Amino acid sequence: MTILIGIAVLAVGTFAFRIAGPALQARIQIPPKVQNLMAIAAAVLLVAVVATQALTQGHSFAGFARPAGVAVGGVLAWRKAPFLVVVVVAAAVTALLRLAGVP
C-alpha cells in the first residue's frame, strides 16, 4: 500500500510540474541569460549521465570496450550520421572489441 501512495504522490507532483509551465508562462519572465544557462545545464547533465553509464558497471570500471563504442557513437552523432547508423556502429565496435578480448 505504501508503494501505491508513493506512486500517486510522484504522479501528482509530475503533473503539477508539467501544468505549471504553461500556466505560469505569461506571469514569469525568465531572463535570456538564465535561459541560456538552463540549456547549458541540460547538456551538462546529459553528458554526465552518458559518462556515468559508459564508464561504470555497478561500482567498478566497465572496461575499455564500452567507452570506445560510446566514443565512436558520439563522433558519428557529431558528424550528423543517422540515428540507426550511430547505434549499430557503436554496438558493433563494442561487440568486436569484446570479441577480440578487450574487457
Side-chain angles (χ1 to χ4, degrees), residues 36-64:
N36 188 26
L37 286 175
M38 289 191 320
I40 292 170
V44 168
L45 181 62
L46 179 62
V47 168
V49 170
V50 168
T52 302
Q53 292 299 313
L55 298 174
T56 61
Q57 183 172 358
H59 294 291
S60 62
F61 180 59
F64 294 101

Side-chain angles (χ1 to χ4, degrees), residues 26-89:
R27 295 181 182 184
I28 297 175
Q29 294 293 337
I30 299 175
K33 196 171 191 176
V34 174
Q35 290 178 351
N36 188 26
L37 286 175
M38 289 191 320
I40 292 170
V44 168
L45 181 62
L46 179 62
V47 168
V49 170
V50 168
T52 302
Q53 292 299 313
L55 298 174
T56 61
Q57 183 172 358
H59 294 291
S60 62
F61 180 59
F64 294 101
R66 188 187 304 172
V70 171
V72 169
V75 168
L76 288 173
W78 174 59
R79 302 285 296 166
K80 307 256 192 256
F83 180 72
L84 185 61
V85 171
V86 171
V87 172
V88 169
V89 171

